[in-house]
Each structure stands twice: as structure tokens, then as C-alpha cells.
Amino acid sequence: MNPYAILAGLLALAWAGGALIRPGRQRMAGLSSGTEFLLMGILLGPLGLAAVSRPTLEALAPVTLVAASWLALLAGSQLGFANRRRVPAAHLLLGIALSLAVFAATALLAWWLVPLLLPLSGNERLLLAIGLGCAGCETARTKAILGAQRLAAGGPLADALANLAGSDDMVPLAGLALLFALSTPAENAAAHAPPLVALGVTLGLGVAAGALAGVLTRVEQRLTERWGILLGTGLMAIGLSAVLGLAAPAALAVMGVTLNLLARDGAALRGMLASTARPVLLPVVALAGAQLDLRDGLALWAVAALVPAMRLAIKLPAIALLRHHLTPPTLPGPWAGLALMACGPITVCVGAVVAVQFPGPIGRLVLAGCLAAIVIGELLGPPALRRELQRADEWPDDAAAAPGSATPGRS
Amino acid sequence: MSGGKKPLPVRMLQLLMLLVTLGLAWLVQQDSTLEPGIAAAVAALGLLLLAGTLFSELAEVVGLPHLTGYLLAGIIVGPHVLGIISHDTVERLGVFNELALALIALAGGAELRIDSLRRAARSLVWAHLLQIVAIIVVVGGSFVALRGHIPFLAGMGLVPTLMVALLWGVLATTRSPSAVLGLLAQLRPRGPLTDMTLAFVMSSDVVVIILLAIALAVAKLGIDPSAGFDPAAFGEVGYELLGSTALGTTLGVILALYLWASRPRPAAADSAAAPDTGTPAVEPEVAATADDGGRNLLLVLLLLGLPMSALLEYVHLNPLLAFMVAGFAVQNFSRGGERLLHAVEKTGAIVFVVFFATAGAHLDLHGFATIWPVAVILAGVRLVVTLAAARAASRIAGDAPVIRNWGWSGLVSQAGLALGVALVIVREFPDFGDGFRTLAIGVVGLNELFGPVLFKLALDRSRETGRARDADSEPAAAGATPVFSAPSPPR
């Protein structure tokens, strides 16, 4: 049967599943990264009911690549912005530093740990370490978590957490570019350029696509033509990156940054791109769930524990140490770092793309790390965010938090 | 979509960007070590979208419709001119074409209203009747007259030649709903010419299915008398018509139920209002996760469109008819018609760029070079007959002057439906099928290129262009430029 029809069926079922766990119109747990779609993907994939087979998943690899790269474009276009505000430089740097710390710690530990459990070649070991570093270093935008609960909170702490969460999207995408650049045809069939050249071409392609789209949208105000320009340049950059064996999401993220710099009305373009987030995210999440493969045994479980553990080990003490300087005069609680545990679309994007482009232990383990970070993040992040905002008296009242209401509660 | 005129420097910039894009794609394509796989198809889709959009912008300068720009983009980047997109890649883009066709047909059906059809019934019957008879007789006759110049008819007897001419005549009766809808999307016209053309081209799909079945049965008998008359052919027609209608109705019911279940509620409407500064209440990040009816409906359309297209193909039913019936059912038997149309509008011109740019890439210019004189004559005869039959039918039915003068103009375009009919004929008659297909592609290509130009001219002259925008300017002001024509109020 047509794999695209199967994908449509998978999404329809996931949608139905998502509706079932939503009593009325308000979600129970604030599944900001669409975990219900992830679980439905696992259930219907080869690990579960096998309604979606491995050959079907291979046929759907382009859908994964395109959707994940588009999410990266969104992330690139929103770099430096949170909740339609510019992120202050201090928060931006702190967010990036936290993300880099999680990346480095996870990668180093994975470099040491995984070869003890699974035989890997030298390059595989390096690539796996980079991939697992990417798996844990992104944070879901707090607005997405609150949006999933139909709520809007505001205040110094909410803003600070939103700034930190919105600052770290580029780190995993840069890591992804490095991962693809260092890969050889043994791991990634399309790879064929030396690492530095591959990195340069990824950057150049992203800049060229962003410049093309930026210049053309400056002289074109009509919405339909703008969509043609954005979709056309985006798809071209994705396709060319994939043909050249490069990290398409990284190129698209660079395109997003360039577009935002060159566009005359960046806010309008960001709004256009953001409106596509959910329809694009759902297939990636569902396919990522279906791609989960447990054949690596103990190594897989170790990785699944390692990635969320390192996120926790870095973010919790770091925020606890910095809490006096984060939102003066408001003092966040010592557990405020838990509020930054939720993972967003970029983690799904990393897991899905690596699983598709590296069909071996690297792909399987990185995907497992990403999915573990997402699930654990969903369990810890949203409740912690709620608790911290309630503690800081920034959580909307019940009356304002009625289902369907998105009225800003900024104080 | 037909925005204000842009100054020359902007047009030069667009031309420069187009050249840069084509140059970049051409450079990558020159690297023979790269695998032309699915990644190349993604790049090709992007190139077609971007080049199609830019070509359509440049086509505006000389007053050509956007569709012509899309087609030219496909032809130029396709395998026969620059060769940036290969034959294989064009074939791989078929799935997007199916989806585009599904959305086009759905919107086309949703544009039809029972009241309008009832009022135009007399005109439609006369128009179909005269068009069918005149085209089959005159275009078929011209085909016979030109048989000495048509290579695949060499050595064929008179009766088989007449049968092939009959098949050609049926092919010539096909119209292009997608071309008409594409132009309506760009120009947003409103008026009797628009309504009549839309009703005619959408209903012509049903007419062509029936005609083709009859012609195939007769032609088989004429070309190979030993085969005998096969009444099963009519059973297949019944199956196709009833099956497509039934499945289309089912899809329409599903869509109507979804539209009812997800209808806007007062609370949601309240929250959509901006609370203070006029900025949207739902910020982009929140909007991305909120369960917004419009975006979700578009996703539902895509989710239903893909499996339905696959299912229809699997059971040999007509996707165009099925999706058209679905749209028609939602518009006329539920309260969700406007929301459905609005959701499909959100796909923007993207659907048309994909459909027509891919069609342009499919056009076989090398084949056309060998048969162009015959193709030009046959296309010319069809044009003249279409014009004469339309005028005669309008006179008999007592149509408004605008339809009498310009009613023919929207009937010239041919596209996917005509090529689909040609493929059926090729499959049934493999002995002469290849030559027939080459000629068909040539003639359909001409009609595809020039038909939209004529229809745009007619809409401009009849002053129906832009009336929908004037009357219904809210969506454009809100930033959601409608693509398909705004629904006409019942007259």
C-alpha cells in the first residue's frame, strides 16, 4: 500500500488517541512535544502492532527529513526571540552556555560509556557521542508548554525561563551539522565531502537560501507568493543538502537566521512559519516513535538513562546556583531547573533525522536518547514549570485559565 | 494575488534571483556523482515552486496569467530544456500531483451550488450537447482529413481511422477544471461568466467519462470487428460513476461531520479577539500548538486526501469526480461549505504551482517538434469549434450577453484530465497508442499554454476580474489571500 496513505492513517489514529486522552478541551499533562503521537507511533510501529513496517518507514524517510528540517527553519527564524520579545543578551548567552554544557557532558560520558556495552568503530564512537550530545541539549519553549494547556502566564520568572528555553535551539543543530560533516559513506551513504568543506557548504547553502528568500520577500507582500518563495527555497535547500549528504536541518536553521536578519518584516514571516509548526511536527513525532528499535539491548537502556540524567545533572544545579541573579528581586525555588527539562521539536528533529540518515547503531541509539529525553522531560518539565510560576505568583487564576482562553496574564 | 504593479527594479531583481536559482540548481545537477534519488525530487519540488512563483511574477509584466508562468517554469527546468529535473524525478513528483488534484477537485465541487446549477441547467445542457456534437464531428473530421500527415495512421483503413478520429474527438471534448480554478484563484472574478464556466468544466468530467466509455466500445468494434460488442464496458462506466459518487459522498459526509464537530464555539471566538493593543491574542508559539480549527482542517484534508487518492487508484475509480462530489456534498448539504473552501484556500497558489509546473516538466518538446504542424491545426480547429458551439448554445439558451460573447474562453484549456483520457486510450489500443499519446501531449500542451491566456482576457474584458475581492475584502485584509474564487451568493 502507498506509504503516504499509511502515514496519513498513522496520524489520524494518533490524532484520535490524542483526543481520547484529552477530557474536554484541556489537556491533562501538557504534552507540549506531542508525546501522544510518539506513543501512538511506537504502538503502531514495528515494535508494537507492526501496522507500519520498516520498509514503509524507509519509504517515508523523505517526509521525516523535510518535516524535521522545516522545524529547524522555524527554530532558526526564532533565534533570539521568545514570546515575540527579543531575548536579553545575558539570558541568550546563559541559555547557550547551559545547552553547550549539557552537550559536552553527555557527549563525553557517552564516549566513555557506550563502547563498554556495544562494539563500535572509532568514527562511530565519535559520531554517537556527538549525536547523544545533541539529543539532550534543547529545551521546549515554555510558551509551547503553556499553549498545550491553553494557558498564558507572565511575569519576571516566566519571562526568564522563556528566554532560557528559547535560546538553545541552535546548539543541537550545529552539533547535527558536525555529525554529518564527520560522517563517512560507511555511516551515511550520501556523505562524500571532507568535514570542513561539508560544514562550509552547509553554512553557505543556508545563507544562500536565506538570502534568496529574504530578498524576495522584501519585494513581495502578497501572502501566497511569499509562501511559494519560502516553501520553494526551503525545499530546495533541504533537497540539495540531502543530495550532498549534509545536515539539512542545520542548513535550514542557518536559512532561518539569515531570513530573519534580511527580512523587512521578520515578525510577520516568523508568524507565517510558526503557523506550520503543529502540522509539520506531528508526522515527525509519530514517525520517530515508529522508528524506535530496541535491538541494541543494554546500550540502548543506558543511553536512554544517560541523556535525561545529564540534562538534570547540569540544569538543576546550574539554575539553583544562578537563581539569585536570574530574576531579581524574584527568587526562583531551588528546583527551578526542573522547569527547563521539557524537550521541544528540535530534539524530535535530531532523533528522527539521525535515525533516518544513519541506519545503524548510531541512528538507533541517538533516537532512543532523544525519545527518553522527551518522555522524561514531559513528566518533569510542565509540572515543575507550573509549580515555579505558582510559587512566584505568575500562574494565571483558574478563571483566566479557562479552557480555550489564551489571554495573556502578564503582570 | 494580482497585486499592484511592481516597478522595473523589482522585476529586474526577481529576474536576477530566478537566474541565480536556476544557476545554482544547474551547477549541482552537473555533479554526476550525485544520486538522483528522492532527495533530488525534494529539491526539484522546491525548484518548481520557487521558479514557478518567480515566472508567474514575470508573466504578470506582459499580462499573462500565473498558470502560464508555472507551465513555463516546468518546461524550462524540465528534462527537455535545461534538464535540471530529470524524467525520473518528474515521475517521483506524481504523489504531489495527486494531492494537488484532490484539493483542486474538492474546491471545485465546493464552488458549485445547487441553486446556481438549477438556474443554469438549460444553458448547461445546450452547451454540453452542442460542444460534444460539434467537436466530435468537426475535430474528428479534421483528424481524418489530416490522416496523411499523421504517422501512426499510415496503412490504417478508413473505418479504423474513423474510430481513432472518434477517440480523438472525445479527447478534444475534455476541459481543464484545474486551469479554470487556477485562474479564478488568481483573479478572484465574480459574475455570470465565472459561474457558467465553473459549472460547465466541473460537470464536463462526468460527461467525458460517459463519452469515453461509449467511444471505446464503438472503437473496439470498428478497429477489431472480431472482438464483438462488449457490454461490460458500460458496466465499468456505471461502476466508475456510481463508485466515485458513493465514495465522494462518504468523504463529504466525513468532512461535514468533522466540520460540525470542530465548528467555532462562542468561547473560542471570544478568546480570538485581541484583548488590548490590537496584536493577535494567540502568539505564534502558542498558535503553533493551539487546536485551531482552520489549520487542523487543512491537515485533515491532507490526511484524507492522500489515503483517499490511494484507495481510489486501487479500486479504479475517478479521483477528480469523487473529490468533486465530496466538495459538492459539503457545500450543499451541510453548513461547513464556507469553512471547507476557506481551508482549501489556505493551501494558496502552492497547489497550482505544483500541479502546473509539474505538468510543464512533463511536456515532451522533442516529440512535439515532430508533429507540431498537425498539433497546431487540430488545436486551432478545436478552438474555432468551441467558440462557435458556445455561441450557438448561448443563443439557443438565451444566456446573458457576457456568456454569449465570452462563454467559450474558459473551455479551451486542457490539462491532466485530457492526458488521463489519452492514457486510457493508449492502454486500450497499444498498436497506435504511442503516436496517439505524442500527438495528444502536443495538442494538450498548446491548449494548456494558450487556454488560460484566453480565459484571463475574457474575464478582464467582461470586467468580472477582482469583483470577489472588492465584495469580500476581509480575508485579504486579514492577510489570508484567498486562492479559489470567493463563493458567489445565490442569484
Side-chain angles (χ1 to χ4, degrees):
Chain A
M1 195 177 174
N2 187 333
Y4 297 100
I6 292 177
L7 172 65
L10 174 69
L11 289 176
L13 278 172
W15 199 319
L20 283 178
I21 65 165
R22 260 178 298 185
R25 300 186 65 210
Q26 189 166 17
R27 293 185 183 200
M28 292 291 283
L31 305 180
S32 55
S33 57
T35 305
E36 66 269 41
F37 286 81
L38 187 73
L39 297 177
M40 192 59 76
I42 296 172
L43 181 68
L44 295 177
L47 276 186
L49 301 174
V52 183
S53 63
R54 296 260 169 235
T56 303
L57 286 173
E58 283 169 20
L60 290 172
V63 175
T64 305
L65 183 68
V66 170
S69 305
W70 191 259
L71 291 173
L73 172 66
L74 265 66
S77 71
Q78 291 178 348
L79 178 67
F81 287 89
N83 302 351
R84 307 201 311 168
R85 286 180 290 101
R86 279 196 181 279
V87 175
H91 283 173
L92 185 68
L93 290 175
L94 179 60
I96 292 173
L98 272 176
S99 181
L100 280 172
V102 175
F103 177 91
T106 313
L108 280 173
L109 204 58
W111 167 271
W112 169 76
L113 178 68
V114 180
L116 301 177
L117 306 168
L118 195 71
L120 293 170
S121 71
N123 203 45
E124 277 181 333
R125 188 179 177 187
L126 175 65
L127 297 181
L128 183 60
I130 295 172
L132 289 174
C134 296
C137 60
E138 180 240 5
T139 313
R141 288 179 179 254
T142 55
K143 203 72 184 172
I145 299 171
L146 297 169
Q149 297 190 12
R150 303 285 193 275
L151 296 170
L157 180 61
D159 288 349
L161 292 175
N163 291 341
L164 294 180
S167 301
D168 58 9
D169 292 345
M170 287 299 112
V171 175
L173 292 167
L176 201 61
L178 186 64
L179 175 66
F180 274 71
L182 291 172
S183 65
T184 62
E187 298 100 19
N188 171 15
H192 71 301
L196 277 179
V197 174
L199 278 176
V201 175
T202 306
L203 188 66
L205 195 58
V207 170
L212 193 64
V215 169
L216 286 173
T217 50
R218 281 179 82 89
V219 297
E220 181 55 77
Q221 298 303 314
R222 290 174 294 182
L223 196 68
T224 349
E225 276 71 11
R226 284 184 150 208
W227 274 120
I229 291 164
L230 289 176
L231 272 173
T233 43
L235 287 175
M236 246 183 95
I238 294 168
L240 292 179
S241 302
V243 166
L244 297 168
L246 307 172
L252 267 280
V254 176
M255 176 186 162
V257 174
T258 314
L259 175 67
N260 203 25
L261 288 174
L262 291 180
R264 185 177 287 159
D265 48 353
L269 288 176
R270 283 197 301 278
M272 279 174 69
L273 290 171
S275 71
T276 62
R278 187 171 168 83
V280 174
L281 180 63
L282 300 187
V284 187
V285 177
L287 287 173
Q291 276 167 338
L292 185 63
D293 191 337
L294 301 180
R295 80 177 75 165
D296 296 303
L298 191 58
L300 184 130
W301 296 110
V303 159
L306 171 74
V307 175
M310 292 314 293
R311 282 172 69 78
L312 199 62
I314 299 289
K315 289 190 173 183
L316 200 57
I319 298 295
L321 282 173
L322 294 169
R323 67 192 178 115
H324 292 282
H325 310 285
L326 202 58
T327 57
T330 309
L331 183 66
W335 300 94
L338 280 176
L340 297 177
M341 280 297 286
C343 291
I346 298 302
T347 306
V348 184
C349 155
V350 167
V353 168
V354 176
V356 162
Q357 296 293 106
F358 296 84
I362 299 172
R364 293 194 294 270
L365 293 178
V366 171
L367 177 65
C370 289
L371 298 192
I374 290 166
V375 174
I376 303 291
E378 286 288 358
L379 292 175
L380 297 180
L385 178 65
R386 178 181 185 133
R387 199 168 46 246
E388 284 302 319
L389 294 181
Q390 279 173 336
R391 192 175 169 278
D393 202 21
E394 294 179 14
W395 188 257
D397 295 336
D398 286 346
S405 168
T407 308
R410 199 175 298 275
S411 54
Chain B
M1 280 180 50
S2 50
K5 286 182 179 172
K6 294 192 172 76
L8 185 63
V10 169
R11 296 301 186 192
M12 296 305 290
L13 181 69
Q14 287 174 329
L15 181 62
L16 179 69
M17 291 292 126
L18 177 63
L19 294 175
V20 168
T21 306
L22 294 180
L24 182 68
W26 185 80
L27 269 178
V28 175
Q29 196 268 340
Q30 295 308 300
D31 187 344
S32 58
T33 62
L34 301 176
E35 291 282 328
I38 193 76
V42 174
L45 184 63
L47 179 61
L48 286 176
L49 270 170
L50 186 57
T53 304
L54 291 174
F55 264 102
S56 71
E57 288 279 301
L58 297 171
E60 268 184 13
V61 177
V62 285
L64 289 174
H66 286 179
L67 295 190
T68 310
Y70 307 152
L71 276 168
L72 286 174
I75 292 171
I76 288 171
V77 304
H80 301 293
V81 180
L82 291 180
I84 296 173
I85 299 177
S86 67
H87 278 291
D88 282 350
T89 305
V90 173
E91 294 303 322
R92 281 176 192 270
L93 295 177
V95 65
F96 299 104
N97 239 357
E98 284 172 20
L99 189 59
L101 189 64
L103 289 172
I104 290 170
L106 195 64
E111 294 276 14
L112 294 176
R113 286 164 175 78
I114 289 179
D115 288 348
S116 307
L117 287 177
R118 201 174 285 152
R119 268 191 300 276
R122 179 179 155 83
S123 304
L124 279 175
V125 169
W126 276 112
H128 275 301
L129 196 65
L130 289 192
Q131 288 288 342
I132 290 167
V133 172
I135 284 184
I136 289 181
V137 171
V138 181
V139 176
S142 308
F143 189 86
V144 174
L146 288 167
R147 66 186 185 278
H149 304 280
I150 301 174
F152 65 87
L153 293 180
M156 202 179 271
L158 181 62
V159 174
T161 302
L162 285 172
M163 296 300 111
V164 182
L166 172 68
L167 294 171
W168 186 265
V170 172
L171 179 83
T173 62
T174 59
R175 319 290 169 177
S176 174
S178 44
V180 168
L181 285 165
L183 266 177
L184 302 193
Q186 179 194 344
L187 303 171
R188 302 201 65 221
R190 179 180 278 183
L193 176 61
T194 305
D195 289 349
M196 177 65 187
T197 307
L198 194 61
F200 185 93
V201 294
M202 296 312 292
S203 55
S204 71
D205 184 40
V206 179
V207 174
V208 166
I209 292 171
I210 297 169
L211 273 181
L212 182 64
I214 297 170
L216 284 174
V218 174
K220 275 181 193 167
L221 204 61
I223 290 170
D224 181 12
S226 63
F229 178 71
D230 183 10
F234 294 98
E236 286 173 16
V237 177
Y239 167 75
E240 187 174 352
L241 285 176
L242 290 177
S244 305
T245 307
L247 262 180
T249 309
T250 308
L251 178 62
V253 169
I254 293 171
L255 279 174
L257 283 174
Y258 176 80
L259 287 162
W260 176 79
S262 65
R263 67 194 181 282
R265 290 172 172 84
D270 292 345
S271 71
D276 44 16
T277 59
T279 53
V282 181
E283 298 185 29
E285 294 89 343
V286 178
T289 53
D291 191 12
D292 173 77
R295 261 188 295 281
N296 284 347
L297 178 56
L298 183 57
L299 189 58
V300 167
L301 292 180
L302 295 177
L303 291 182
L304 287 173
L306 279 170
M308 275 297 281
S309 293
L311 176 67
L312 289 162
E313 189 186 348
Y314 185 71
V315 295
H316 301 294
L317 292 178
N318 187 320
L320 189 65
L321 180 59
F323 282 103
M324 193 179 80
V325 168
F328 183 79
V330 173
Q331 178 62 264
N332 292 285
F333 304 112
S334 81
R335 292 181 180 174
E338 298 310 315
R339 280 183 63 214
L340 175 71
L341 262 181
H342 190 62
V344 183
E345 282 165 3
K346 285 190 173 180
T347 60
I350 306 303
V351 167
F352 293 105
V353 184
V354 171
F355 188 80
F356 283 97
T358 313
H362 263 114
L363 289 182
D364 181 1
L365 293 188
H366 294 162
F368 183 73
T370 61
I371 47 91
W372 72 267
V374 177
V376 169
I377 293 172
L378 287 173
V381 171
R382 179 178 176 275
L383 171 66
V384 173
V385 174
T386 299
L387 190 153
R391 288 202 163 178
S394 291
R395 197 173 295 273
I396 295 170
D399 291 336
V402 67
I403 297 178
R404 209 176 303 163
N405 290 335
W406 297 107
W408 57 275
S409 60
L411 316 185
V412 178
S413 299
Q414 287 186 300
L417 180 60
L419 295 176
V421 168
L423 281 179
V424 172
I425 294 170
V426 169
R427 200 170 55 223
E428 294 290 330
F429 302 100
D431 289 350
F432 61 83
D434 284 343
F436 189 94
R437 182 174 56 190
T438 305
L439 186 58
I441 290 173
V443 174
V444 170
L446 287 172
N447 291 328
E448 203 170 16
L449 267 176
F450 295 108
V453 179
L454 293 171
F455 189 38
K456 179 176 183 291
L457 182 76
L459 288 170
D460 288 342
R461 291 287 170 89
S462 62
R463 299 187 179 179
E464 291 194 4
T465 304
R467 277 197 207 169
R469 181 174 36 237
D470 299 338
D472 182 22
S473 58
E474 190 184 346
T481 309
V483 171
F484 296 97
S485 75
S488 309
R491 276 180 296 273

